[in-house]
Amino acid sequence: MIAEAPKGHGFGTAAKAVAKKFLARPPEDGKLSDAMVQLPVSFHPAMLEQSEGIVGKPQWAAIPSQGDMASALAGAPKGLGPVRVALSCVVQQKGLVSDCKVLSEDPAGLGYGAAAVGLSSRFQLSTWTAEGLPVVGGRVQIPIRFDTGGAEPSKTP
């Protein structure tokens, strides 16, 4: 990458992802050689202000550590086996998430949904998909599995 403007919004990373999709036609003589190509990529500023869309396959830049997860579980009931929570959050500038809401919590009513919302500040997405599409302003679903100790629930065939 030669230059990125404005910096800090992920345009360079997105341009690199888009550039990987381009193919060069080989020379007429069929001989391949090392060549350098400059591919200018421009994104329309309105892409940063898109209406809320859904981020299908997020690319995570940061996720909570084991220590973060353990801290979130302080005071929560133990021995329940795995607890699953799904959040729906809005992706902000720099890939941070906000406005997180609990979509599901199993088992419900034990405070794990609130613990998951408390962890939301530890998540960060790449601001562009692998296809070069923006995620800022979109809504992402974040599945979280807490290990509370105890047995894995049995699966009935």
Side-chain angles (χ1 to χ4, degrees), residues 23 53 56 58 60 70 94 114 118 147:
L23 297 175
W60 298 107
K94 299 188 180 182
D147 184 5

PDB file of all heavy atoms in Angstrom, residues 23 53 56 58 60 70 94 114 118 147:
ATOM      1  N   LEU A  23      -7.461  -9.793 -11.386  1.00  0.00           N
ATOM      2  CA  LEU A  23      -6.544 -10.675 -12.096  1.00  0.00           C
ATOM      3  C   LEU A  23      -5.914  -9.899 -13.243  1.00  0.00           C
ATOM      4  O   LEU A  23      -6.584  -9.110 -13.906  1.00  0.00           O
ATOM      5  CB  LEU A  23      -7.295 -11.885 -12.666  1.00  0.00           C
ATOM      6  CG  LEU A  23      -7.952 -12.815 -11.652  1.00  0.00           C
ATOM      7  CD1 LEU A  23      -8.760 -13.890 -12.374  1.00  0.00           C
ATOM      8  CD2 LEU A  23      -6.900 -13.460 -10.765  1.00  0.00           C
ATOM      9  N   GLY A  53     -27.258  -2.224   8.128  1.00  0.00           N
ATOM     10  CA  GLY A  53     -27.339  -3.495   7.426  1.00  0.00           C
ATOM     11  C   GLY A  53     -26.924  -4.600   8.377  1.00  0.00           C
ATOM     12  O   GLY A  53     -26.642  -4.362   9.543  1.00  0.00           O
ATOM     13  N   GLY A  56     -22.888 -10.284   7.879  1.00  0.00           N
ATOM     14  CA  GLY A  56     -23.074 -11.736   7.834  1.00  0.00           C
ATOM     15  C   GLY A  56     -21.927 -12.538   8.416  1.00  0.00           C
ATOM     16  O   GLY A  56     -22.124 -13.390   9.261  1.00  0.00           O
ATOM     17  N   PRO A  58     -18.605 -11.687  10.181  1.00  0.00           N
ATOM     18  CA  PRO A  58     -17.669 -10.687  10.699  1.00  0.00           C
ATOM     19  C   PRO A  58     -16.236 -11.215  10.713  1.00  0.00           C
ATOM     20  O   PRO A  58     -16.003 -12.399  10.895  1.00  0.00           O
ATOM     21  CB  PRO A  58     -18.170 -10.424  12.117  1.00  0.00           C
ATOM     22  CG  PRO A  58     -18.958 -11.636  12.480  1.00  0.00           C
ATOM     23  CD  PRO A  58     -19.519 -12.182  11.203  1.00  0.00           C
ATOM     24  N   TRP A  60     -13.156 -10.726  12.959  1.00  0.00           N
ATOM     25  CA  TRP A  60     -12.852 -10.187  14.282  1.00  0.00           C
ATOM     26  C   TRP A  60     -11.428  -9.672  14.349  1.00  0.00           C
ATOM     27  O   TRP A  60     -10.486 -10.375  14.017  1.00  0.00           O
ATOM     28  CB  TRP A  60     -13.095 -11.243  15.354  1.00  0.00           C
ATOM     29  CG  TRP A  60     -14.528 -11.659  15.395  1.00  0.00           C
ATOM     30  CD1 TRP A  60     -15.064 -12.833  14.964  1.00  0.00           C
ATOM     31  CD2 TRP A  60     -15.624 -10.872  15.857  1.00  0.00           C
ATOM     32  NE1 TRP A  60     -16.417 -12.825  15.128  1.00  0.00           N
ATOM     33  CE2 TRP A  60     -16.798 -11.636  15.674  1.00  0.00           C
ATOM     34  CE3 TRP A  60     -15.733  -9.598  16.393  1.00  0.00           C
ATOM     35  CZ2 TRP A  60     -18.051 -11.163  16.025  1.00  0.00           C
ATOM     36  CZ3 TRP A  60     -16.990  -9.130  16.737  1.00  0.00           C
ATOM     37  CH2 TRP A  60     -18.126  -9.913  16.558  1.00  0.00           C
ATOM     38  N   ALA A  70     -13.757 -14.715  32.479  1.00  0.00           N
ATOM     39  CA  ALA A  70     -13.815 -15.106  33.891  1.00  0.00           C
ATOM     40  C   ALA A  70     -14.323 -13.952  34.747  1.00  0.00           C
ATOM     41  O   ALA A  70     -15.157 -14.154  35.647  1.00  0.00           O
ATOM     42  CB  ALA A  70     -12.440 -15.571  34.364  1.00  0.00           C
ATOM     43  N   LYS A  94     -14.027   2.373  13.626  1.00  0.00           N
ATOM     44  CA  LYS A  94     -12.905   1.568  14.106  1.00  0.00           C
ATOM     45  C   LYS A  94     -13.319   0.154  14.483  1.00  0.00           C
ATOM     46  O   LYS A  94     -12.572  -0.566  15.127  1.00  0.00           O
ATOM     47  CB  LYS A  94     -12.166   2.256  15.252  1.00  0.00           C
ATOM     48  CG  LYS A  94     -11.589   3.596  14.837  1.00  0.00           C
ATOM     49  CD  LYS A  94     -10.717   4.197  15.884  1.00  0.00           C
ATOM     50  CE  LYS A  94     -10.196   5.540  15.367  1.00  0.00           C
ATOM     51  NZ  LYS A  94      -9.304   6.190  16.261  1.00  0.00           N
ATOM     52  N   ALA A 114     -26.701 -10.068  30.711  1.00  0.00           N
ATOM     53  CA  ALA A 114     -26.076  -8.815  31.164  1.00  0.00           C
ATOM     54  C   ALA A 114     -24.555  -8.948  31.169  1.00  0.00           C
ATOM     55  O   ALA A 114     -23.837  -8.009  30.815  1.00  0.00           O
ATOM     56  CB  ALA A 114     -26.586  -8.458  32.558  1.00  0.00           C
ATOM     57  N   GLY A 118     -21.871  -6.717  29.041  1.00  0.00           N
ATOM     58  CA  GLY A 118     -20.701  -6.120  29.683  1.00  0.00           C
ATOM     59  C   GLY A 118     -19.402  -6.436  28.946  1.00  0.00           C
ATOM     60  O   GLY A 118     -18.462  -5.647  28.978  1.00  0.00           O
ATOM     61  N   ASP A 147     -18.455 -21.083  29.725  1.00  0.00           N
ATOM     62  CA  ASP A 147     -18.265 -22.394  30.337  1.00  0.00           C
ATOM     63  C   ASP A 147     -18.379 -22.206  31.848  1.00  0.00           C
ATOM     64  O   ASP A 147     -17.494 -21.629  32.475  1.00  0.00           O
ATOM     65  CB  ASP A 147     -16.905 -22.964  29.958  1.00  0.00           C
ATOM     66  CG  ASP A 147     -16.696 -24.364  30.498  1.00  0.00           C
ATOM     67  OD1 ASP A 147     -17.647 -24.934  31.100  1.00  0.00           O
ATOM     68  OD2 ASP A 147     -15.604 -24.905  30.317  1.00  0.00           O
TER      69      ASP A 147
END
